[in-house]
Structure formats: structure tokens, C-alpha cells
Amino acid sequence: MQRIIGLIDLDYFYAQCEILRKPQLRGKPVVIVMPSLRENSGAIATCNYEARALKIKSGMPLSLARKLSNPETVFINVDKEYYLDISKKVFEIVDFFCEKVEQVSVDEAYFDLSNPSGFEKAVETCAKIKQRIKSELGLTCSIGVSVNKLLAKMASSAKKPDGLFVIKLGMVNDFLGKQKVGALHGVGPKSEEIFSKHGVVVVNDIKKFSKSDLVLWFGEAIGSRFFDFAFGKDEREIEPNREKQQLSRMITMKQDSRDEVFIKQNIDFLCGLLYKEIHALKKRFKTVSLIVVTDKMDTLTKSRTKSEPVESLNNLLIIEYELLSDFLHESQSVVRRIGVRVSNFDEDTGFQQKLFEF
Ligand code: DCP
Ligand code: MG
Ligand code: MG
């Protein structure tokens, strides 16, 4: 089966978070500063595209950024806790669409799009993820889609900001060959210098050499990896490291319907599957949701949160039935797809949330 991998990266993340809570900043150059102990010194964490137009960039000393700035430029100290909070919400949306998600930084994650198969479906899923992040959180991101991590990451940078770019197998050589070697995963300024000493500027230049040449320059592991990268080869797997914040099951019913008995049969089936999984994962949940997709393809969600964890399949079913009954009373819509979801997991059970150092 063809692997398809996505890489999502938020645009000018810290700066975008600040603009989100201070909309009056939009359009101005916004620079986020990592302050240091000495007053008026520090480094630039990131900045928005207006500030990048002034040549300000991540890692730059604050003093230099001030010199490059114009009178409109706004400098803001980092507030990591706030960014982490938003980051969590972003990746919960990705979790909703994908089983295997590997978060690699505060604003970046790889996710598996191999199932259902095909690039068309993968792009559809990514468009939905982008849309949900935009409508629910007010943020833009860029997503790259390709056959491995290396190319997915490069595809995500290719159309920043607010991009969605796909590199299919047939496009690999064309796309990759003319990229600067620094665009390859793991090639930092030091490696770039070694490459440039040998006249290697773009990825295609690597192909003039052999694997053993690169091993000589960079050592066994890194040299052979860079060599494979030049041909678009990358076998690294997605290593899921995110605990699910919610679990759900959804199906299209055999026919569109408003018949309560018929819809309940579908709910019974879904809850049976879902409860098995919850049980296997030793999860306890307090929130139960019913998701309805109508024949007009509108999605409606109804939820109920209990003060104590829901203890049995039977109790889960009772709540889902109540939600269904509410829905049928409140809406005249005909149901096409139906879904059940549980969330708000008990902190003390299940997997321990992995802590990240960003
Ligand atoms: N970051 C930092 N110091 C750096 C680089 C990044 O503190 N030297 C922080 C701030 C960024 C966040 O990590 O907002 C994510 O890093 P990215 O490399 O993804 O950069 P941005 O999201 O800011 O911009 P882009 O739109 O290029 O992704
Ligand atoms: Mg980013
Ligand atoms: Mg990033």
C-alpha cells in the first residue's frame, strides 16, 4: 500500500497567537521576543510576514531586530503557556481526523493519510483539517502531503502561509532537484557549509557524488541518510506520540431516515464498537456526543457532560438515546450519517499524557 504522510505546521505561530487575542495588531509587523535576563536584550522567537518583509527573523538578536524595525513594529514577549494551550486544541482537531499523529514541535505534526487510500482523499482530509482550525480557532496553517516525512515537510514549506501542497511520486525529482540542500531535513548551517565546500548547492548536485563520498563527509548514518534524501527516499515511520482526547465511531446509514427505532439500531452498533475500544484502552469518560450529518450534508453535534464518569455500555446508550430524542424534537432534518463520540477522559486512568520539551 502506498504510504501517504501529511505534515502540518502553523503559520508564524507565536505571532499568530498574539494577533488572535489582539486583532488590532493585524497588518502591522509583529515580533515575538524571547527575553534574556539583561534588560533590553533577547532573541527573536518568530515574527509575522509583515516583519519578515523587514528582514527580521527567528533567532536574530533583539537589538538587530529593533534596528530593522519600522515605527509600526510591535514587540511582544513570549507567553509559552498560552501558545501551548492553543497548540493542544490544534492537534486535537488533527487527532479527530487521523489515527496516527506524531507531534514534533509546538506547532508541527506528522500524520498518516494512507487510509482511505489515494491522494485525492488525503487532500480532502487536509482541507477539512485546515477549515476546522480556521473556523474553530481562527488560525491558518500549512499542510504538505507526500509519500514520506522528508517530502511532506518540504511540501508544507512550499506554499506557506495558508498552503496545501501535494508532492506525488511523479513530481519528486522535479521538485526536489532544484531545492537548496539546506531545505533537506537535518541539513543545518554546518552541513550546508560542508556541502558547499564540495560545490553542492542544490539537491541535484548531490547526485554527482556517491554514497561513500557523503559518508566520508558526514559519517555513516548521516551521510547515507542525506544521500537517500537526494533521491527522495525516506523510510522513517510515523511514531504516534499523542494520547487521544476523544474516541468516536461514525457510519452512513443504509438509508436516510428520521425513524427513531432505525437510528437507534445504528447507534447500538456504533456504541458496541466504541465501548470495546474504550474498555481495551481502560478509558473513563464524562462527555458523550451524538454527531448527525443530514441529507443536506450539514453536521450537527449534541453533547452531554456528566459529573462522574459513565460506567457501562448501557449508560452510554441511554445518553445517546436522549441526545437523539432531543435532536429529533429540535430539528426537522433527515439523518444520513450518524456518529457517537466520548471525550473528557478521566485524568487518573488510561495512558499518561506524554510531556513535551519544545
Ligand atoms: N521558535 C522559537 N525559536 C526559534 C524558532 C521557532 O522560539 N529559533 C518558536 C516560535 C515559532 C514556533 O517555534 O512560532 C514554531 O516554529 P516554526 O519554525 O514553525 O516558525 P513559525 O511557525 O513562527 O513560522 P512559519 O510560518 O515559517 O512556520
Ligand atoms: Mg510554523
Ligand atoms: Mg514548525
Side-chain angles (χ1 to χ4, degrees), residues 226-285:
F226 287 170
F227 188 78
D228 286 345
F229 281 179
F231 295 86
K233 278 201 278 183
D234 179 11
E235 301 294 327
R236 285 175 299 154
E237 295 284 347
I238 292 179
E239 289 168 22
N241 57 6
R242 291 188 49 74
E243 184 184 1
K244 286 261 171 202
Q245 306 298 318
Q246 56 184 30
L247 292 164
S248 61
R249 282 285 183 277
M250 188 122 200
I251 47 165
T252 303
M253 301 196 301
K254 286 218 169 65
Q255 68 212 44
D256 296 355
S257 171
R258 278 186 58 82
D259 183 280
E260 192 161 353
V261 176
F262 175 69
I263 301 174
K264 275 183 176 171
Q265 286 167 0
N266 285 275
I267 290 178
D268 289 351
F269 171 70
L270 292 172
C271 284
L273 293 177
L274 183 62
Y275 201 79
K276 233 187 227 167
E277 186 177 356
I278 297 163
H279 199 69
L281 294 172
K282 297 191 172 62
K283 296 267 194 198
R284 300 171 79 209
F285 55 94

Side-chain angles (χ1 to χ4, degrees), residues 10-270:
L10 275 298
D11 301 324
Y12 55 101
F13 183 52
Y14 290 4
Q16 213 188 159
C17 292
E18 293 297 344
I19 295 166
L20 193 63
R21 61 178 170 183
K22 297 190 198 95
Q24 68 274 20
L25 296 178
R26 198 169 291 281
K28 294 182 183 173
V30 175
V31 183
I32 309 302
V33 181
M34 195 87 76
S36 77
L37 288 175
R38 268 189 310 127
E39 206 173 320
N40 251 330
S41 80
I44 304 313
T46 193
C47 58
N48 65 353
Y49 287 75
E50 284 81 350
R52 291 180 202 192
L54 303 171
K55 304 245 157 34
I56 299 173
K57 56 182 183 184
S58 296
M60 182 178 269
L62 174 60
S63 52
L64 178 53
R66 285 212 191 273
K67 276 188 202 132
L68 294 168
S69 68
N70 62 17
E72 276 214 291
T73 309
V74 180
F75 290 84
I76 301 171
N77 281 352
V78 288
D79 177 356
K80 283 197 178 166
E81 218 170 298
Y82 167 58
Y83 312 141
L84 267 174
D85 207 43
I86 295 184
S87 161
K88 235 174 99 179
K89 292 185 183 140
V90 168
F91 296 117
E92 274 171 25
I93 292 177
V94 182
D95 286 340
F96 178 78
F97 288 96
C98 295
E99 279 300 318
K100 283 166 76 180
V101 181
E102 178 183 352
Q103 192 179 344
V104 287
S105 87
V106 68
D107 84 328
E108 208 167 316
Y110 290 100
F111 52 101
D112 187 23
L113 291 162
S114 311
N115 242 328
S117 68
F119 275 99
E120 212 168 298
K121 283 269 184 278
V123 168
E124 239 172 66
T125 304
C126 293
K128 281 187 201 155
I129 292 174
K130 277 173 68 76
Q131 200 255 326
R132 286 262 311 259
I133 293 173
K134 180 81 211 173
S135 64
E136 285 175 27
L137 305 173
L139 295 170
T140 67
C141 62
S142 296
I143 301 184
V145 177
S146 195
V147 293
N148 58 39
K149 283 183 166 180
L150 172 81
L151 294 163
K153 166 87 180 166
M154 292 175 96
S156 80
S157 324
K159 291 276 184 309
K160 250 182 183 304
D162 205 10
L164 173 49
F165 187 58
V166 184
I167 303 176
K168 294 185 188 168
L169 266 182
M171 302 157 61
V172 172
N173 280 334
D174 255 9
F175 176 86
L176 195 58
K178 44 183 188 274
Q179 299 280 323
K180 293 253 167 64
V181 278
L184 292 177
H185 174 82
V187 179
K190 269 192 200 156
S191 309
E192 225 172 340
E193 210 184 304
I194 298 175
F195 270 128
S196 105
K197 254 198 254 164
H198 295 90
V200 175
V201 179
V202 296
V203 173
N204 258 346
D205 296 334
I206 298 178
K207 296 177 183 164
K208 296 173 196 157
F209 296 88
S210 67
K211 193 176 247 188
S212 47
D213 291 325
L214 270 80
V215 166
L216 213 62
W217 306 344
F218 298 104
E220 177 68 42
I222 296 173
S224 43
R225 174 174 273 188
F226 287 170
F227 188 78
D228 286 345
F229 281 179
F231 295 86
K233 278 201 278 183
D234 179 11
E235 301 294 327
R236 285 175 299 154
E237 295 284 347
I238 292 179
E239 289 168 22
N241 57 6
R242 291 188 49 74
E243 184 184 1
K244 286 261 171 202
Q245 306 298 318
Q246 56 184 30
L247 292 164
S248 61
R249 282 285 183 277
M250 188 122 200
I251 47 165
T252 303
M253 301 196 301
K254 286 218 169 65
Q255 68 212 44
D256 296 355
S257 171
R258 278 186 58 82
D259 183 280
E260 192 161 353
V261 176
F262 175 69
I263 301 174
K264 275 183 176 171
Q265 286 167 0
N266 285 275
I267 290 178
D268 289 351
F269 171 70
L270 292 172

